[in-house]
Amino acid sequence: MRYRNPRDVRNRPHLQHMFLIQRPATVLERLLDVIRVVPGSIGRKAARKLYRAYVARRQAEFFAVIEGLPKGSLCIDLGANVGEISEGMLDRGMRVIAFEPDPATFAKLSQRLEGRDGVQLLCAAAGVSDGLAEIQRPEGWSEATLKGSPGSSLVHRGKGMDAGTATGVQVLDFARFVRGLGERIAVLKVDIEGGEWELIPHVVQSGCLDLMDHLFVETHEWMDPSRCAQAAEFRQMAKQRPSPHMTFDWV
């Protein structure tokens, strides 16, 4: 995707979305939130700093949950990318199943984590049924650099995506997979670039949500504004259900 000023994160739809759903929680974040709308370089720098602050805070909250779990608890990382979050969970003594559908990204994930105790790596996407699908990469993606690889998607099409680099990937019925594990899932992290709209209802309707203790999901209504109502329903469900602990503000 091309922007009028590529340095200005305020022009990027996914970051505009983050600024809408995240709320400043510290004095610094509140200050940056005020300054980020100032025209010019001052506003751009504040927006970048606020974005990094939100990511750091959300990840710190996530890993605080991980550190409170018994060693050896089972965690699943959907959309593992190159393995930063999976590695963090392994470093804290968790067992991890990491799903990454893009074969090029999966190769980097394997280099990073293969051979470590307690990890299972799956070159597959989590879906509502077994099968095959096509994953598209963002414009500017290359196998050498994996630039933009977190934005690769089985759902997002059109502007900002490059159909020329698309490739076929395996999809697994995630509810069936979860039931086949035969144990509770301490943490499920879902960052699957629009795939959550089908996956979360599938997990709920199958009863698999009752097998989980914590659920962290990034929603992508900025890709498709028609999904805003569904995102609101997800957040309302999180408020109404006593368990599992759910957050739909993963970044």
Side-chain angles (χ1 to χ4, degrees), residues 63 66 71 82-98 108-121:
F63 283 118
I66 297 297
K71 300 297 184 184
V82 297
E84 178 183 359
I85 301 300
S86 289
E87 185 175 53
M89 292 190 288
L90 287 169
D91 289 345
R92 289 164 174 82
M94 302 299 109
R95 290 180 294 130
V96 176
I97 301 174
K108 296 293 185 181
L109 173 68
S110 297
Q111 290 176 11
R112 185 173 194 162
L113 298 181
E114 199 165 43
R116 289 198 57 168
D117 292 337
V119 65
Q120 179 182 357
L121 305 177

Side-chain angles (χ1 to χ4, degrees), residues 148-202:
S149 62
S152 297
S153 176
L154 276 70
V155 177
H156 190 31
R157 298 289 186 266
K159 188 176 181 180
M161 305 300 283
D162 182 3
T165 60
T167 189
V169 299
Q170 182 183 10
V171 181
L172 298 180
D173 181 331
F174 187 64
R176 181 185 59 78
F177 178 85
V178 166
R179 293 202 174 279
L181 293 174
E183 63 178 300
R184 291 193 67 79
I185 298 166
V187 170
L188 173 64
K189 186 221 98 181
V190 182
D191 187 359
I192 53 177
E193 302 304 308
E196 69 275 5
W197 305 123
E198 285 192 344
L199 185 70
I200 298 303
H202 181 56

Side-chain angles (χ1 to χ4, degrees), residues 14 29 54 68 74 82 97 127 222 247:
H14 65 295
E29 288 177 2
Y54 282 158
L74 178 62
V82 297
I97 301 174
W222 63 269
T247 175

Side-chain angles (χ1 to χ4, degrees), residues 11-26:
N11 292 335
R12 304 180 188 182
H14 65 295
L15 297 182
Q16 290 177 352
H17 171 62
M18 177 187 286
F19 294 145
L20 288 174
I21 66 170
Q22 303 292 336
R23 292 292 179 267
T26 67

Side-chain angles (χ1 to χ4, degrees), residues 25-231:
T26 67
V27 172
L28 176 60
E29 288 177 2
R30 287 192 288 270
L31 179 61
L32 292 172
D33 191 46
V34 171
I35 298 174
R36 70 179 175 85
V37 298
V38 173
S41 63
I42 292 176
R44 289 197 300 271
K45 290 177 182 178
R48 287 197 296 270
K49 288 181 179 179
L50 182 60
Y51 161 69
R52 291 194 291 266
Y54 282 158
V55 171
R57 176 159 56 86
R58 284 303 186 195
Q59 290 194 1
E61 292 168 353
F62 174 83
F63 283 118
V65 170
I66 297 297
E67 289 166 357
L69 298 173
K71 300 297 184 184
S73 295
L74 178 62
C75 302
I76 299 181
D77 188 353
L78 300 185
N81 199 250
V82 297
E84 178 183 359
I85 301 300
S86 289
E87 185 175 53
M89 292 190 288
L90 287 169
D91 289 345
R92 289 164 174 82
M94 302 299 109
R95 290 180 294 130
V96 176
I97 301 174
F99 283 69
E100 174 49 52
D102 189 307
T105 307
F106 183 80
K108 296 293 185 181
L109 173 68
S110 297
Q111 290 176 11
R112 185 173 194 162
L113 298 181
E114 199 165 43
R116 289 198 57 168
D117 292 337
V119 65
Q120 179 182 357
L121 305 177
L122 297 174
C123 188
V128 302
S129 61
D130 294 334
L132 297 174
E134 181 185 78
I135 193 168
Q136 286 194 8
R137 285 81 170 240
E139 291 178 354
W141 179 92
S142 76
E143 188 167 354
T145 65
L146 296 183
K147 179 183 177 181
S149 62
S152 297
S153 176
L154 276 70
V155 177
H156 190 31
R157 298 289 186 266
K159 188 176 181 180
M161 305 300 283
D162 182 3
T165 60
T167 189
V169 299
Q170 182 183 10
V171 181
L172 298 180
D173 181 331
F174 187 64
R176 181 185 59 78
F177 178 85
V178 166
R179 293 202 174 279
L181 293 174
E183 63 178 300
R184 291 193 67 79
I185 298 166
V187 170
L188 173 64
K189 186 221 98 181
V190 182
D191 187 359
I192 53 177
E193 302 304 308
E196 69 275 5
W197 305 123
E198 285 192 344
L199 185 70
I200 298 303
H202 181 56
V203 168
V204 173
Q205 293 162 12
S206 68
C208 288
L209 199 61
D210 297 327
L211 302 176
M212 302 173 187
D213 297 322
H214 298 273
L215 177 66
F216 293 84
V217 183
E218 181 178 5
T219 61
H220 296 81
E221 55 265 40
W222 63 269
M223 291 180 177
D224 180 0
S226 70
R227 296 289 189 176
C228 287
Q230 189 176 5

